[in-house]
């Protein structure tokens, strides 16, 4: 086994080396097997699980080991060819066991300048999913800026129709990674900049030209406002998704109604569902997106609602488990104080129960319970005003 191992040259490669060069601890370590065969690798690591189609990849204990995409006449040439065939220059590094660093010709320069650019002109043609990986990258590393070559190649990819055949669940995975970043709005901003909304994020097409609302309330387009709110709720993936969906209805406002968007809450529920379903997101996300679109306006006006309407809203958010998410969304969208009293009101109405003789009477029992809960909130509101 030692003899076989000596025939294998294994290096740390890709984004893990980038993170090390940035002084960060890599979340995942990926490895490049620069010399040796798959048979020899499996002889040394018999528990390695093969995956991959276009080139050989193995998984072992959660780590990825890949063979080169192309081979040269020497190990060094093989490593160079592999790095030049990766997605982005700042991901095109390899680190040998002895500390020797291999880099794409533009890798160190782009890393120093915090620039994201494709490793080679046909990077997106070879794998169009890399466009969404670029969007995820800028959401995770907002200090980086897209190079003009990146935008140019995104537009070429989009106009050539190469995005259409990507497996939707893979795009959904990239989106969720981006929603976990410190500036998730960059995911949407890059897709717009590179004309890559179609066919997966079609609901946002044209949104950069639609005002988010009257000038006294909004100074951005719908998509500009959406990206801004996504950034404000960064740190919670599900709330970021809700922020992405909350104003989708505004995109479908008839032009003669602009810059107002009456009824955009109800108009946004179907687009939110369609977007989440198209990307094959978990059911929890799809429902959260619908809820954000449908209830964000009512939630934002919570203090002005009638007690019965408050009860209905609170119970919907409670049953869906989204009250805290909606509080954070409305805080970002409307400012502090929105839904301030909602948690206390919910706790109070959940303690209200029907007398035994008024239970199990169908709709009549439901109406009675709602009225009792509304009265509880009314009493609560009155006591707060007296204070």
């Amino acid at each position: 086994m030692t003899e076989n191992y000596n025939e294998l040259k294994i290096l740390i490669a890709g984004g893990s080396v980038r993170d090390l060069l940035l002084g960060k601890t890599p979340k995942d370590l990926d490895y490049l097997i620069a010399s040796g065969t798959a048979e020899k690798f499996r002889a040394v690591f018999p528990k390695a699980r093969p995956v991959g189609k276009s080139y050989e990849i193995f998984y072992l204990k959660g780590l990825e080991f890949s063979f080169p995409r192309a081979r040269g006449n020497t190990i060094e040439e093989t490593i160079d060819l592999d790095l030049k065939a990766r997605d982005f220059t700042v991901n095109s590094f390899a680190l040998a066991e002895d500390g020797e660093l291999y880099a794409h010709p533009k890798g160190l320069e782009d890393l120093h300048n915090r620039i994201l650019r494709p490793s080679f002109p046909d990077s997106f043609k070879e794998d169009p999913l890399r466009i969404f990986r670029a969007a995820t990258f800028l959401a995770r590393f907002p200090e980086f800026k897209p190079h003009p070559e990146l935008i140019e190649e995104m537009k070429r990819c989009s106009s050539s129709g190469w995005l259409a055949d990507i497996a939707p669940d893979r795009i959904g995975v990239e989106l969720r990674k981006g929603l976990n970043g410190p500036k998730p709005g960059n995911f949407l901003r890059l897709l717009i900049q590179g004309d890559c909304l179609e066919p997966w994020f079609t609901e946002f097409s044209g949104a950069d030209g639609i005002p988010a609302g009257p000038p006294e309330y909004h100074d951005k387009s719908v998509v500009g406002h959406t990206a801004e709110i996504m950034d404000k709720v960064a740190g919670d993936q599900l709330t970021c998704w809700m922020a992405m969906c909350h104003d989708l209805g505004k995109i479908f406002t008839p032009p003669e109604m602009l810059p107002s968007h009456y009824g955009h809450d109800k108009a946004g529920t179907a687009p939110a569902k369609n977007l989440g379903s198209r990307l094959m997101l978990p059911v929890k996300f799809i429902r959260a997106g619908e809820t954000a679109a449908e209830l964000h306006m009512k939630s934002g006006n919570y203090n002005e609602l009638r007690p019965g309407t408050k009860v209905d809203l609170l119970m919907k958010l409670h049953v869906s488990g989204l009250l805290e998410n909606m509080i954070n969304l409305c805080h970002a969208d409307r400012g502090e104080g929105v839904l301030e009293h909602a948690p206390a009101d919910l706790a109070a109405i959940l303690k209200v129960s029907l007398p035994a003789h008024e239970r199990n009477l169908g709709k009549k029992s439901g109406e009675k319970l709602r009225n009792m809960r509304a009265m509880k909130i009314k009493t609560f509101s009155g006591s707060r005003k007296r204070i």
Side-chain angles (χ1 to χ4, degrees):
M1 183 175 290
T2 303
E3 181 179 347
N4 283 336
Y5 181 78
N6 290 336
E7 294 180 21
L8 298 171
K9 185 176 179 66
I10 302 177
L11 304 89
I12 302 174
S16 50
V17 181
R18 174 205 66 223
D19 289 344
L20 288 170
L21 293 172
L22 290 173
K24 300 180 180 182
T25 301
K27 291 185 178 180
D28 301 298
L29 289 176
D30 298 329
Y31 295 88
L32 172 66
I33 308 167
S35 68
T37 63
E39 291 73 21
K40 289 178 180 177
F41 179 78
R42 297 199 70 176
V44 177
F45 304 104
K47 293 185 178 180
R49 179 169 55 91
V51 294
K53 297 178 180 179
S54 55
Y55 59 97
E56 292 173 304
I57 301 175
F58 291 86
Y59 279 112
L60 177 64
K61 296 182 178 180
L63 302 174
E64 181 179 300
F65 294 80
S66 61
F67 279 84
R69 296 160 172 78
R71 291 188 180 273
N73 296 320
T74 64
I75 293 177
E76 287 71 20
E77 186 178 344
T78 294
I79 295 172
D80 288 341
L81 287 172
D82 182 84
L83 296 183
K84 290 176 182 177
R86 288 178 177 261
D87 52 4
F88 309 110
T89 59
V90 294
N91 286 342
S92 300
F93 299 105
L95 185 64
E97 190 175 7
D98 60 4
E100 184 175 6
L101 177 68
Y102 297 84
H104 185 283
K106 296 179 181 177
L108 290 172
E109 177 186 354
D110 286 349
L111 190 66
H112 175 75
N113 293 324
R114 302 298 192 265
I115 294 294
L116 187 67
R117 112 169 73 193
S119 285
F120 63 102
D122 283 341
S123 178
F124 295 152
K125 182 179 180 180
E126 181 178 286
D127 184 0
L129 182 66
R130 288 172 172 172
I131 282 178
F132 299 103
R133 288 178 178 161
T136 296
F137 187 100
L138 294 181
R140 292 180 57 212
F141 299 96
E143 66 271 25
F144 281 75
K145 302 298 179 185
H147 191 276
E149 288 179 20
L150 182 88
I151 304 302
E152 182 181 339
E153 289 304 312
M154 288 178 69
K155 292 179 178 180
R156 181 166 76 103
C157 184
S158 177
S159 63
S160 300
W162 298 334
L163 295 175
D165 295 329
I166 305 175
D169 58 313
R170 299 182 72 195
I171 301 173
V173 168
E174 290 302 321
L175 171 61
R176 292 178 65 189
K177 289 179 182 177
L179 294 177
N180 266 335
K183 200 162 185 179
N186 279 353
F187 190 98
L188 197 52
R189 292 184 183 102
L190 183 66
L191 296 187
I192 290 173
Q193 195 174 355
D195 293 340
C196 287
L197 292 172
E198 299 286 351
W200 301 106
F201 293 85
T202 184
E203 285 77 10
F204 288 101
S205 293
D208 53 333
I210 300 173
E216 59 267 32
Y217 301 111
H218 289 283
D219 61 354
K220 294 180 175 63
S221 68
V222 171
V223 75
H225 170 71
T226 298
E228 179 183 53
I229 301 305
M230 290 172 70
D231 291 343
K232 286 184 177 181
V233 298
D236 186 290
Q237 188 186 66
L238 188 61
T239 308
C240 284
W241 168 248
M242 293 172 67
M244 192 174 189
C245 293
H246 82 286
D247 269 351
L248 278 175
K250 289 183 176 180
I251 299 167
F252 301 92
T253 298
E256 61 272 15
M257 285 179 57
L258 297 175
S260 297
H261 295 279
Y262 300 113
H264 76 274
D265 43 359
K266 292 182 180 179
T269 57
K273 180 180 181 179
N274 292 340
L275 179 60
S277 300
R278 186 183 310 118
L279 299 176
M280 300 183 69
L281 297 182
V283 172
K284 181 179 181 179
F285 274 71
I286 296 172
R287 290 177 178 169
E290 290 181 274
T291 300
E294 179 187 3
L295 300 181
H296 75 281
M297 287 295 291
K298 192 173 290 185
S299 299
N301 293 314
Y302 182 79
N303 293 329
E304 286 73 47
L305 299 179
R306 293 181 178 181
T309 308
K310 287 183 178 180
V311 170
D312 297 337
L313 174 65
L314 290 173
M315 291 309 299
K316 283 183 180 180
L317 293 174
H318 172 63
V319 170
S320 63
L322 295 173
L323 177 57
E324 184 177 351
N325 303 87
M326 186 63 80
I327 290 172
N328 293 333
L329 173 59
C330 288
H331 180 101
D333 194 26
R334 295 293 192 93
E336 296 184 16
V338 178
L339 288 173
E340 176 185 2
H341 301 300
D345 288 347
L346 176 63
I349 66 175
L350 289 178
K351 293 177 182 178
V352 175
S353 59
L354 287 172
H357 69 279
E358 293 189 303
R359 298 173 188 171
N360 303 316
L361 299 178
K363 184 178 179 180
K364 184 177 179 180
S365 293
E367 291 175 350
K368 178 66 176 178
L369 181 60
R370 179 180 184 270
N371 291 336
M372 291 174 63
R373 286 173 167 171
M375 185 58 66
K376 186 70 173 180
I377 284 183
K378 186 176 182 179
T379 303
F380 250 51
S381 299
S383 64
R384 282 196 290 262
K385 289 178 181 178
R386 286 193 295 273
I387 294 174

